[in-house]
């Protein structure tokens, strides 16, 4: 008699449930955790994205646009070339997450039960997604033209470092998030 490990059986059942059209997908149970883990760093007040994805009321009007964005892999944005290695902070949704968002949008974008909603995600500091040890400012503002294409531009920011220093995380905060 063949024995199947319980973990493999559980994972197989979870995968089948994710692909099963009869299983209702809801915002609180299924979509909100995906948004918390992949989208809310940018999609929250005073961040770079043009809309907040913290609550059902904020997200619901965008359900079909979200589906299009994740199915076409425009969101989350990730421009690193995979031919040059794996990145630990890679911004990509799993195929299961993409199917979940698509099915939620296609089936009416239900909110679901309040009891299924995870606790709100906490962020490091206002405006930051990391907790910075050091903050450097640009030497002078960069003016963005109202239209057209901007060539790739290098901006050197003095650090004041006098010896080699390891950097484990870096983040850029724009001065004008509307641009």
């Amino acid at each position: 008699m063949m024995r199947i490990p319980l973990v493999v059986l559980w994972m197989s059942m979870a995968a089948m449930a994710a692909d099963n059209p009869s299983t209702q997908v809801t915002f609180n149970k299924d979509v909100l955790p995906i948004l918390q883990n992949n989208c809310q760093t940018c999609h929250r007040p005073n961040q770079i994205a043009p809309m907040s994805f913290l609550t059902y009321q904020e997200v619901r009007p965008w359900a079909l646009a979200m589906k299009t964005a994740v199915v076409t892999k425009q969101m989350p944005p990730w421009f690193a070339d995979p031919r040059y290695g794996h990145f630990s902070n890679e911004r990509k949704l799993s195929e299961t997450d993409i199917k979940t968002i698509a099915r939620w949008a296609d089936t009416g974008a239900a909110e679901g039960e309040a009891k299924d909603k995870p606790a709100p995600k906490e962020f490091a500091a206002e405006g930051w997604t990391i907790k910075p040890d050091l903050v450097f400012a640009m030497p002078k503002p960069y003016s963005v033209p109202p239209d057209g294409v901007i060539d790739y531009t290098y901006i050197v920011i003095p650090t004041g470092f006098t010896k080699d220093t390891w950097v484990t995380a870096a983040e850029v905060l724009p001065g004008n998030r509307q641009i």
Side-chain angles (χ1 to χ4, degrees), residues 31-50:
V31 175
L32 183 55
I34 297 169
L35 299 180
Q36 287 179 330
N37 292 327
N38 300 282
C39 309
Q40 289 182 356
T41 46
C42 297
H43 286 275
R44 59 188 168 106
N46 301 316
Q47 289 301 316
I48 198 162

Side-chain angles (χ1 to χ4, degrees), residues 54-114:
L54 298 181
T55 68
Y56 175 75
Q57 291 73 23
E58 292 170 329
V59 175
R60 175 59 183 93
W62 299 100
L64 291 175
M66 285 173 53
K67 173 192 171 187
T68 300
V70 300
V71 166
T72 60
K73 301 192 177 176
Q74 292 176 324
M75 286 287 155
W78 182 249
F79 305 108
D81 190 332
R83 294 177 298 174
Y84 295 98
H86 171 73
F87 298 87
S88 63
N89 63 339
E90 191 171 66
R91 291 186 163 288
K92 288 187 174 182
L93 294 179
S94 70
E95 286 303 314
T96 300
D97 288 348
I98 292 169
K99 287 178 183 177
T100 298
I101 291 171
R103 201 163 83 233
W104 175 69
D106 288 342
T107 58
E111 181 174 12
E113 300 289 329

Side-chain angles (χ1 to χ4, degrees), residues 118-176:
K121 186 167 182 166
E122 293 186 27
F123 296 95
E126 182 58 38
W128 296 97
T129 58
I130 63 173
K131 184 178 179 189
D133 295 319
L134 296 169
V135 177
F136 305 106
M138 290 186 49
K140 62 181 183 172
Y142 180 82
S143 295
V144 177
D147 55 27
V149 176
I150 301 172
D151 290 331
Y152 194 86
T153 305
Y154 291 96
I155 299 173
V156 177
I157 300 176
T159 64
F161 292 152
T162 58
K163 61 182 182 171
D164 289 345
T165 304
W166 283 99
V167 176
T168 57
E171 182 175 3
V172 176
L173 291 182
N176 182 349

